[in-house]
Amino acid sequence: MQRQYTVYLQSFISRPCVRMFSSLKLRVGEVLLPGDEFSFDTADRLSLTEAVKAEKVVCGPGLRRSGDRLLVCKSGVLRHKEPNTFWMDSQQRRYVPAKGESIIGIVTVKSGDVFKVDFGGSEQASLSYLAFEGATKRNRPNVQVGDLVFAQFVLANKDMEPELVCVDSSGRANGMGVFGGGGLLFSVSLGLVRRLLAPHSEILTDLQQLFPCELVVGMNGRLWVKSSTVQQTLVISNLLQSCDTMTAQQRQQLFRRVAQGAL
Amino acid sequence: MGGWGMGRGGRPTENTCRMKDTPLSNCERDFLLKAIEEKKRLDGRQTYDYRKMKITFGTDYGCCFVDLGKTRVMAQVSCELVAPKESRPNEGIMFFNIELSPMASPAFEQGRQSELSVKLNRQLERCLRNSKCIDTESLCVVSGETVWQIRVDIHMLNHDGNLMDAASIAAITALCHFRRPDVGIQGDEVTVYSPEERDPIPLSIYHMPISVSFSFFQQGTYLLVDPCEREERVMDGLLMIAMNKHREICSIQSSGGIMLLKEQVMRCSKIASVKVSEITELISKALENDKKARKAGERCGFAESMPQERITALKMDETPVEMTDVTDRANDIVQNTEAPPQTVPSPVVPVPGVGQIGQGLQNAWGLEEDDEEEEDVSSHEEEEEQVTKMEEEQHEKESREGYFIYFNWVHF
């Protein structure tokens, strides 16, 4: 899961951090609400005989440091990853851009040197026409208004207009760029997208057993599916939209029913 | 939420970025039209099917919620005593108002009279006022001096297509549900009795006009009933027929400028009569249930009609998915496609510490004679030209994880 969180990660280093760590560890898997806090009491006595190690606690999205306390600022479930990363796993559909994340965007305006791309955020991002593989001033990429692009953020501040590129740092497309003939675009919650992109994703293994399809996953909650027939594409899109809120067992049951063609 | 600049007077200035609705991509449009040609809809409905409709009532008389799939509309009826119009001293006054709340869709702006809002208001007025479904003469209290003014306010709470139908159903149901206070006239005095003193009286409604929307695609070749929001965006034109269960047409409106044949309109009206009778059934049942619940003293009202939508609850409405013909066999597909490239059955370990599965992409660095083919995303069919360097492959495999997944062909 750590791969997907390229959002800010604050390090919280403090000497008697052992307490913080253990109090966080205790509540992993619980539902927490904004306002819940973790603080360590300085009144607690430190054992002089035990070796006190300085433990680093890395806070992911949803946790924020305020002075000597750790505050929860998003409601959700507290998750933990070895060795010392904690974050809040929350359910939301509104995407906030973050640097390095790849998203599916829709080109809305083509003006001069720059395309404006809508990705579902508060502003539209800008995508320069030179940010495509093999694009030069004379050789412009073939992008029309209304096309789908798979791009990643190079600049995603809350104060500035976000910027996208369709090449990676070495100048190669690497799968990014314009795509999309013949498939269906739909949107799901961000939690489902993260679960799909996690390594060894269960949902993907289940989906693989159904029918062959192409799937493009954008971290802004948009998915693009293409299968051999329109019917199968519709089936897959409906399945993905509905398995958002299902437990693993319900989902496997549903997929099994579809595989038998009985639904 | 983008820069909201406020000029003087509190109105947003011109160059603030307003929340616009998500644009429709070309790929979605093409897919939707293709699916409609094959008679498939996004949620698996048939051509003439309505979405699931749910009617609930609030605590007050005259408050009604209608859910048509995900489209949600609320209607509230209220009344007050006013002086009548000069031209009609014996009749009460009906006033309709549809509000497109920004809650419904990012495309709606607060306070602005958009085209859609004007259109919906006009259609609702024609459907309800001109059809004379309510007996306005019974609303008269003192002829020429005091009459009841009945006001119907309709708020759009969520826009997922077909606002007109939902609004008309909500309006007529709220009117049927509404009870006005009883009045007593003694000479010149008019006393309005409160609900505790005397039971409020329902309005006298002759018939229930309900509108049914038909959307047309490909210049009138294909027709769909009850379009959802995405279907509305790609449609060519809309035909709205308002009818009651006695098969009387109250209003017909065609927008979008498409040419319709006489047979098409006749067919639509036949379909509409079937739908209207079903919907009227549903409304009567809902009104019955509500009456029973109120009589039994059960809790009824806004708080009770809200479903439990907690983040920790794993309950969601069933998504209807059409599954017929899904097993268009994988076997057929396997046989009809060309033979896949030689697949490596299991990971090969060329060098300790490096695993290789498949061949990876063609190396485009420093090789002028090979043209850079656009990477076809259905690349399990693609022929790899040459083996690339190990590290590149590793990197590609890892980075590919993020956006598309290979589906290895499984030979049956």
Side-chain angles (χ1 to χ4, degrees), chain B residues 323-396:
Chain B
M323 291 288 176
T324 54
D325 305 333
V326 146
T327 41
D328 273 359
R329 314 298 142 158
N331 284 331
D332 281 348
I333 300 166
V334 170
Q335 274 156 21
N336 293 341
T337 50
E338 56 200 0
Q342 197 175 17
T343 47
V344 182
S346 64
V348 168
V349 182
V351 166
V354 175
Q356 176 189 345
I357 304 177
Q359 300 283 63
L361 278 187
Q362 143 192 1
N363 180 9
W365 283 38
L367 298 165
E368 281 91 72
E369 60 264 29
D370 297 334
D371 15 22
E372 277 172 69
E373 285 163 26
E374 173 141 42
E375 181 186 357
D376 190 5
V377 188
S378 57
S379 42
H380 42 249
E381 315 260 5
E382 194 180 88
E383 310 250 90
E384 276 73 35
E385 312 267 275
Q386 44 189 304
V387 181
T388 58
K389 299 197 183 83
M390 304 304 174
E391 306 89 77
E392 254 171 35
E393 248 167 78
Q394 282 293 82
H395 169 72
E396 268 156 33

XYZ file of all heavy atoms in Angstrom, chain B residues 323-396:
574
model
N -27.223 -10.042 -17.477
C -26.190 -11.047 -17.666
C -26.478 -12.041 -18.775
O -25.773 -13.018 -18.896
C -26.019 -11.856 -16.384
C -25.422 -11.041 -15.300
S -23.722 -10.749 -15.667
C -23.341 -9.701 -14.323
N -27.528 -11.821 -19.558
C -27.795 -12.821 -20.597
C -26.699 -12.748 -21.641
O -26.144 -11.695 -21.898
C -29.136 -12.546 -21.277
O -29.106 -11.195 -21.747
C -30.263 -12.733 -20.313
N -26.416 -13.837 -22.223
C -25.388 -13.932 -23.266
C -23.998 -13.586 -22.790
O -23.153 -13.221 -23.578
C -25.670 -12.999 -24.456
C -27.030 -13.247 -25.033
O -27.518 -14.383 -24.894
O -27.580 -12.319 -25.609
N -23.789 -13.670 -21.532
C -22.456 -13.331 -21.053
C -21.474 -14.382 -21.481
O -20.337 -14.122 -21.805
C -22.475 -13.205 -19.523
C -21.189 -13.671 -18.929
C -22.739 -11.779 -19.142
N -21.945 -15.626 -21.524
C -21.016 -16.683 -21.872
C -20.896 -16.820 -23.367
O -21.085 -17.875 -23.915
C -21.445 -18.001 -21.232
O -22.858 -18.094 -21.361
C -21.065 -18.004 -19.777
N -20.648 -15.729 -24.025
C -20.117 -15.737 -25.385
C -18.757 -16.270 -25.179
O -17.929 -15.641 -24.554
C -20.039 -14.295 -25.927
C -21.347 -13.883 -26.557
O -22.256 -14.726 -26.580
O -21.432 -12.757 -27.031
N -18.597 -17.442 -25.675
C -17.537 -18.263 -25.102
C -16.139 -17.719 -25.209
O -15.754 -17.132 -26.199
C -17.552 -19.608 -25.794
C -18.929 -20.144 -25.903
C -19.499 -20.361 -24.571
N -20.884 -20.041 -24.489
C -21.691 -20.524 -23.559
N -21.190 -21.325 -22.662
N -22.928 -20.190 -23.504
N -15.412 -18.016 -24.200
C -13.987 -17.741 -24.252
C -13.373 -18.670 -25.271
O -12.404 -18.326 -25.942
C -13.366 -17.967 -22.886
N -13.932 -19.840 -25.427
C -13.403 -20.791 -26.409
C -13.432 -20.226 -27.810
O -12.465 -20.309 -28.552
C -14.241 -22.071 -26.388
C -13.921 -22.923 -25.191
O -12.800 -22.885 -24.709
N -14.894 -23.663 -24.704
N -14.584 -19.624 -28.168
C -14.685 -19.018 -29.500
C -13.606 -17.984 -29.700
O -12.961 -17.935 -30.735
C -16.041 -18.318 -29.636
C -17.135 -19.321 -29.911
O -16.774 -20.475 -30.217
O -18.297 -18.952 -29.810
N -13.460 -17.174 -28.684
C -12.477 -16.095 -28.800
C -11.089 -16.674 -28.975
O -10.298 -16.219 -29.793
C -12.520 -15.207 -27.552
C -13.910 -14.610 -27.413
C -11.494 -14.105 -27.630
C -14.152 -14.022 -26.085
N -10.800 -17.709 -28.212
C -9.465 -18.300 -28.292
C -9.235 -18.875 -29.668
O -8.181 -18.696 -30.267
C -9.312 -19.391 -27.216
C -8.033 -20.168 -27.435
C -9.275 -18.757 -25.831
N -10.257 -19.544 -30.191
C -10.054 -20.173 -31.499
C -9.954 -19.154 -32.613
O -9.187 -19.338 -33.548
C -11.214 -21.121 -31.803
C -11.004 -22.489 -31.215
C -12.326 -23.174 -31.004
O -13.317 -22.801 -31.622
N -12.341 -24.174 -30.154
N -10.726 -18.087 -32.493
C -10.766 -17.149 -33.613
C -9.612 -16.172 -33.640
O -9.366 -15.551 -34.656
C -12.075 -16.352 -33.575
C -13.247 -17.249 -33.853
O -13.051 -18.329 -34.409
N -14.423 -16.832 -33.454
N -8.942 -16.003 -32.565
C -7.829 -15.049 -32.606
C -6.576 -15.757 -33.084
O -6.473 -16.969 -33.043
C -7.547 -14.471 -31.230
O -7.449 -15.545 -30.294
C -8.663 -13.533 -30.801
N -5.614 -14.931 -33.470
C -4.367 -15.542 -33.958
C -3.610 -16.131 -32.781
O -3.839 -15.761 -31.633
C -3.525 -14.486 -34.648
C -3.251 -13.301 -33.731
C -2.869 -12.077 -34.515
O -2.821 -12.187 -35.751
O -2.630 -11.053 -33.901
N -2.708 -17.008 -33.125
C -1.984 -17.696 -32.050
C -1.160 -16.687 -31.269
O -0.520 -15.823 -31.844
C -1.055 -18.748 -32.662
N -1.210 -16.785 -29.996
C -0.430 -15.844 -29.207
C 1.057 -16.156 -29.355
O 1.422 -17.254 -29.743
C -0.898 -16.097 -27.780
C -1.413 -17.480 -27.788
C -1.925 -17.751 -29.174
N 1.878 -15.166 -29.044
C 3.307 -15.421 -29.180
C 3.750 -16.480 -28.196
O 3.064 -16.761 -27.217
C 3.953 -14.076 -28.885
C 2.942 -13.372 -28.056
C 1.607 -13.841 -28.546
N 4.897 -16.994 -28.454
C 5.408 -18.062 -27.611
C 5.484 -17.585 -26.168
O 6.139 -16.587 -25.881
C 6.821 -18.379 -28.104
C 7.362 -19.670 -27.645
C 8.708 -19.889 -28.304
O 9.297 -18.958 -28.815
N 9.156 -21.116 -28.304
N 4.769 -18.250 -25.344
C 4.778 -17.775 -23.960
C 5.750 -18.605 -23.141
O 5.948 -19.775 -23.376
C 3.401 -17.923 -23.310
O 2.926 -19.233 -23.592
C 2.421 -16.926 -23.879
N 6.314 -17.921 -22.218
C 7.228 -18.605 -21.302
C 6.388 -19.179 -20.176
O 5.671 -18.454 -19.513
C 8.243 -17.594 -20.728
C 9.211 -18.286 -19.822
C 8.967 -16.892 -21.857
N 6.407 -20.464 -19.983
C 5.489 -21.061 -19.009
C 5.774 -20.656 -17.575
O 4.878 -20.496 -16.799
C 5.657 -22.565 -19.213
C 6.986 -22.711 -19.871
C 7.223 -21.492 -20.669
N 6.987 -20.467 -17.251
C 7.250 -20.099 -15.859
C 8.413 -19.127 -15.837
O 9.112 -18.991 -16.821
C 7.582 -21.348 -15.047
O 8.774 -21.912 -15.535
N 8.569 -18.407 -14.760
C 9.631 -17.413 -14.760
C 10.991 -18.059 -14.994
O 11.309 -19.099 -14.435
C 9.580 -16.802 -13.361
C 8.245 -17.163 -12.832
C 7.829 -18.419 -13.514
N 11.723 -17.393 -15.819
C 13.075 -17.866 -16.122
C 14.052 -17.035 -15.309
O 13.864 -15.827 -15.155
C 13.338 -17.685 -17.638
C 14.795 -17.883 -17.953
C 12.467 -18.626 -18.426
N 15.069 -17.672 -14.801
C 16.067 -16.933 -14.007
C 17.364 -16.874 -14.798
O 18.177 -17.778 -14.697
C 16.287 -17.610 -12.644
C 17.280 -16.823 -11.817
C 14.965 -17.717 -11.891
N 17.526 -15.841 -15.585
C 18.729 -15.804 -16.427
C 20.006 -15.528 -15.619
O 21.051 -16.072 -15.888
C 18.469 -14.668 -17.415
C 17.249 -13.969 -16.935
C 16.686 -14.679 -15.779
N 19.821 -14.692 -14.635
C 20.978 -14.291 -13.823
C 20.500 -14.360 -12.381
O 19.359 -13.994 -12.109
C 21.392 -12.842 -14.187
C 22.341 -12.276 -13.154
C 21.995 -12.792 -15.580
N 21.277 -14.795 -11.443
C 20.769 -14.871 -10.070
C 20.292 -13.497 -9.605
O 20.986 -12.505 -9.749
C 21.977 -15.323 -9.245
C 22.976 -15.815 -10.212
C 22.611 -15.374 -11.588
N 19.112 -13.488 -9.085
C 18.584 -12.229 -8.579
C 17.662 -11.542 -9.564
O 17.019 -10.555 -9.238
N 17.570 -12.048 -10.783
C 16.695 -11.405 -11.768
C 15.755 -12.448 -12.332
O 16.210 -13.493 -12.783
C 17.522 -10.804 -12.924
C 16.605 -10.258 -13.999
C 18.413 -9.696 -12.400
N 14.447 -12.166 -12.317
C 13.478 -13.088 -12.879
C 12.908 -12.507 -14.154
O 12.754 -11.297 -14.265
N 12.618 -13.341 -15.109
C 12.065 -12.828 -16.363
C 10.821 -13.604 -16.732
O 10.832 -14.823 -16.770
C 13.117 -12.959 -17.464
C 12.581 -12.541 -18.827
C 13.545 -12.863 -19.933
O 14.714 -13.145 -19.669
N 13.075 -12.849 -21.145
N 9.737 -12.847 -16.978
C 8.518 -13.469 -17.475
C 8.175 -12.794 -18.781
O 7.989 -11.584 -18.827
C 7.330 -13.249 -16.517
C 7.679 -13.758 -15.127
C 6.089 -13.940 -17.052
C 6.598 -13.502 -14.146
N 8.064 -13.515 -19.861
C 7.739 -12.895 -21.136
C 8.920 -12.124 -21.669
O 10.029 -12.198 -21.143
N 8.633 -11.372 -22.702
C 9.757 -10.765 -23.383
C 9.877 -9.268 -23.150
O 10.856 -8.679 -23.478
C 9.631 -10.999 -24.901
C 9.597 -12.464 -25.282
C 10.972 -13.071 -25.222
O 11.568 -13.122 -24.150
N 11.451 -13.520 -26.343
N 8.871 -8.609 -22.661
C 9.009 -7.169 -22.444
C 8.896 -6.396 -23.740
O 8.647 -6.942 -24.802
N 9.072 -5.141 -23.632
C 8.882 -4.250 -24.779
C 10.111 -4.212 -25.651
O 11.219 -4.532 -25.240
C 8.609 -2.837 -24.299
C 7.165 -2.521 -23.875
C 7.076 -1.055 -23.596
C 6.194 -2.932 -24.964
N 9.848 -3.759 -26.840
C 10.952 -3.566 -27.770
C 11.815 -2.401 -27.305
O 11.317 -1.389 -26.808
C 10.332 -3.299 -29.127
C 11.027 -2.308 -29.978
C 10.174 -1.929 -31.147
O 9.059 -2.393 -31.305
N 10.691 -1.090 -31.996
N 13.096 -2.547 -27.488
C 14.028 -1.505 -27.072
C 14.085 -0.434 -28.149
O 14.437 -0.697 -29.291
C 15.413 -2.137 -26.888
C 16.419 -1.102 -26.458
O 16.062 0.026 -26.137
N 17.686 -1.490 -26.444
N 13.664 0.756 -27.816
C 13.619 1.820 -28.819
C 14.799 2.756 -28.718
O 14.840 3.774 -29.369
C 12.330 2.618 -28.653
N 15.759 2.418 -27.915
C 16.885 3.323 -27.726
C 17.973 3.042 -28.736
O 18.493 1.929 -28.796
C 17.458 3.154 -26.332
C 16.624 3.814 -25.292
C 15.267 3.869 -25.262
C 17.091 4.513 -24.155
N 14.875 4.551 -24.162
C 15.966 4.960 -23.452
C 18.363 4.788 -23.655
C 16.073 5.679 -22.299
C 18.445 5.516 -22.486
C 17.311 5.955 -21.827
N 18.307 4.037 -29.479
C 19.494 3.975 -30.329
C 19.370 3.041 -31.513
O 20.349 2.683 -32.128
N 18.119 2.651 -31.835
C 17.957 1.756 -32.987
C 17.101 2.477 -34.005
O 15.897 2.552 -33.879
C 17.288 0.450 -32.567
C 18.091 -0.350 -31.563
C 17.220 -1.401 -30.931
C 19.264 -1.005 -32.253
N 17.734 3.049 -35.043
C 16.967 3.881 -35.953
C 16.122 3.086 -36.904
O 15.094 3.528 -37.359
C 17.903 4.781 -36.767
C 18.395 5.997 -36.000
C 19.690 5.678 -35.291
O 20.716 5.558 -35.957
O 19.654 5.492 -34.073
N 16.563 1.874 -37.269
C 15.825 1.188 -38.330
C 14.475 0.663 -37.880
O 13.552 0.586 -38.669
C 16.645 0.047 -38.946
C 17.043 -1.035 -37.963
C 18.452 -0.792 -37.432
O 18.852 0.375 -37.365
O 19.113 -1.753 -37.084
N 14.350 0.332 -36.583
C 13.042 -0.143 -36.145
C 12.133 1.043 -35.910
O 12.491 1.951 -35.192
C 13.171 -0.915 -34.818
C 14.019 -2.151 -35.026
O 14.056 -2.635 -36.164
O 14.642 -2.590 -34.069
N 10.937 1.038 -36.523
C 10.046 2.175 -36.233
C 9.412 1.978 -34.878
O 9.157 0.877 -34.448
C 8.934 2.341 -37.286
C 8.785 1.134 -38.152
O 9.208 0.043 -37.727
O 8.270 1.279 -39.239
N 9.176 3.097 -34.284
C 8.563 3.046 -32.963
C 7.075 2.849 -33.133
O 6.343 3.767 -33.425
C 8.798 4.362 -32.229
C 10.136 4.446 -31.556
C 10.385 5.833 -31.013
O 9.715 6.213 -30.050
O 11.207 6.538 -31.595
N 6.656 1.616 -32.983
C 5.222 1.379 -33.092
C 4.552 1.904 -31.848
O 5.088 1.843 -30.774
C 4.938 -0.122 -33.167
C 5.278 -0.711 -34.509
C 5.366 -2.208 -34.366
O 4.711 -2.740 -33.462
O 6.089 -2.823 -35.133
N 3.369 2.370 -32.034
C 2.616 2.800 -30.861
C 2.276 1.551 -30.085
O 1.795 0.592 -30.634
C 1.350 3.514 -31.299
C 0.453 3.830 -30.143
C -0.198 5.172 -30.288
O -0.618 5.472 -31.410
O -0.284 5.867 -29.288
N 2.542 1.568 -28.847
C 2.340 0.378 -28.029
C 0.864 0.057 -27.980
O 0.061 0.818 -27.475
C 2.868 0.629 -26.630
C 2.722 -0.560 -25.724
C 3.125 -0.220 -24.299
O 3.560 0.911 -24.088
O 2.993 -1.063 -23.435
N 0.481 -1.048 -28.557
C -0.916 -1.453 -28.537
C -1.226 -2.028 -27.160
O -0.519 -2.883 -26.675
C -1.132 -2.497 -29.626
C -2.600 -2.778 -29.830
O -3.414 -2.098 -29.207
O -2.916 -3.653 -30.614
N -2.253 -1.542 -26.583
C -2.483 -1.942 -25.200
C -2.936 -3.389 -25.093
O -2.740 -4.042 -24.091
C -3.517 -1.021 -24.528
C -3.625 -1.307 -23.056
C -3.084 0.420 -24.719
N -3.535 -3.916 -26.114
C -3.887 -5.335 -26.039
C -2.672 -6.118 -26.453
O -2.632 -6.797 -27.461
C -5.067 -5.647 -26.939
O -4.746 -5.268 -28.272
N -1.644 -5.985 -25.648
C -0.337 -6.451 -26.108
C -0.085 -7.897 -25.777
O 1.021 -8.370 -25.907
C 0.757 -5.587 -25.514
O 0.467 -5.323 -24.173
N -1.093 -8.605 -25.336
C -0.816 -10.019 -25.188
C -0.814 -10.701 -26.535
O -0.503 -11.859 -26.659
C -1.802 -10.700 -24.232
C -3.207 -10.245 -24.425
N -3.860 -9.488 -23.479
C -4.054 -10.406 -25.446
C -5.066 -9.230 -23.915
N -5.219 -9.768 -25.096
N -1.197 -9.961 -27.576
C -1.121 -10.510 -28.915
C 0.130 -10.027 -29.641
O 0.517 -10.510 -30.669
C -2.316 -10.022 -29.745
C -3.639 -10.111 -29.013
C -4.391 -11.330 -29.436
O -3.815 -12.102 -30.212
O -5.529 -11.511 -29.017
N 0.750 -9.006 -29.087
C 1.833 -8.325 -29.808
C 3.031 -9.230 -29.969
O 3.391 -9.982 -29.070
C 2.202 -7.114 -28.976
C 3.041 -6.110 -29.678
C 3.329 -4.963 -28.724
O 4.320 -5.087 -27.998
O 2.556 -4.029 -28.725
N 3.697 -9.100 -31.087
C 4.927 -9.892 -31.261
C 6.090 -9.061 -30.761
O 6.296 -7.942 -31.188
C 5.121 -10.164 -32.744
C 3.881 -10.706 -33.436
C 4.086 -12.147 -33.809
O 3.770 -13.027 -33.007
O 4.576 -12.378 -34.897
N 6.845 -9.619 -29.896
C 8.034 -8.892 -29.427
C 9.144 -9.093 -30.427
O 9.336 -10.175 -30.942
C 8.478 -9.410 -28.068
C 7.737 -8.791 -26.901
C 6.316 -9.270 -26.763
O 6.053 -10.452 -27.054
O 5.465 -8.474 -26.390
N 9.887 -8.020 -30.648
C 10.922 -8.096 -31.673
C 12.196 -8.689 -31.102
O 12.821 -9.560 -31.661
C 11.244 -6.705 -32.221
C 9.994 -5.916 -32.581
C 9.626 -6.096 -34.029
O 10.182 -5.355 -34.851
O 8.799 -6.974 -34.338
N 12.574 -8.141 -30.002
C 13.842 -8.639 -29.466
C 13.845 -8.571 -27.950
O 13.084 -7.844 -27.350
C 14.987 -7.816 -30.013
C 14.684 -6.322 -29.975
C 15.729 -5.549 -30.717
O 16.894 -5.676 -30.400
N 15.328 -4.790 -31.707
N 14.720 -9.289 -27.435
C 14.847 -9.306 -25.974
C 15.544 -8.031 -25.543
O 16.551 -7.642 -26.097
C 15.684 -10.523 -25.546
C 15.801 -10.575 -24.045
C 15.057 -11.778 -26.091
N 14.958 -7.379 -24.573
C 15.583 -6.145 -24.108
C 16.465 -6.444 -22.912
O 16.521 -7.557 -22.432
C 14.510 -5.139 -23.685
O 13.726 -5.760 -22.662
C 13.602 -4.836 -24.848
N 17.086 -5.371 -22.427
C 17.981 -5.590 -21.305
C 17.183 -6.001 -20.087
O 16.045 -5.620 -19.916
C 18.735 -4.302 -20.996
C 19.595 -3.817 -22.124
C 20.612 -2.801 -21.590
C 21.426 -2.261 -22.741
N 20.774 -1.185 -23.448
N 17.780 -6.705 -19.183
C 17.085 -7.214 -18.002
C 16.573 -6.109 -17.118
O 15.449 -6.108 -16.675
C 18.013 -8.100 -17.164
C 18.613 -9.234 -17.907
S 17.372 -10.257 -18.670
C 18.375 -11.363 -19.586
N 17.402 -5.121 -16.891
C 16.993 -4.085 -15.937
C 15.819 -3.304 -16.480
O 14.922 -2.932 -15.745
C 18.137 -3.093 -15.630
C 19.419 -3.744 -15.155
C 20.304 -4.092 -16.329
O 20.940 -3.196 -16.883
O 20.313 -5.282 -16.687
N 15.840 -3.045 -17.764
C 14.728 -2.311 -18.355
C 13.432 -3.038 -18.150
O 12.417 -2.469 -17.815
C 14.950 -2.179 -19.854
C 15.345 -0.800 -20.277
C 15.752 -0.815 -21.734
O 15.163 -1.580 -22.523
O 16.681 -0.062 -22.047
N 13.509 -4.340 -18.376
C 12.301 -5.147 -18.240
C 11.737 -5.084 -16.844
O 10.560 -4.948 -16.627
C 12.670 -6.593 -18.483
C 12.115 -7.166 -19.710
C 12.834 -8.437 -19.940
O 12.494 -9.391 -19.257
O 13.779 -8.429 -20.732
N 12.663 -5.224 -15.912
C 12.226 -5.199 -14.514
C 11.506 -3.896 -14.238
O 10.438 -3.852 -13.683
C 13.450 -5.305 -13.589
C 13.987 -6.699 -13.472
C 13.023 -7.601 -12.759
O 12.090 -8.121 -13.350
N 13.226 -7.787 -11.486
N 12.160 -2.848 -14.692
C 11.595 -1.514 -14.462
C 10.236 -1.387 -15.125
O 9.300 -0.867 -14.564
C 12.583 -0.486 -14.996
C 12.034 0.905 -15.063
N 11.800 1.664 -13.943
C 11.636 1.650 -16.109
C 11.320 2.831 -14.314
N 11.199 2.862 -15.616
N 10.156 -1.900 -16.343
C 8.879 -1.782 -17.061
C 7.791 -2.572 -16.386
O 6.683 -2.129 -16.233
C 9.033 -2.291 -18.484
C 9.405 -1.190 -19.437
C 10.103 -1.747 -20.638
O 9.758 -2.883 -21.025
O 10.986 -1.089 -21.156
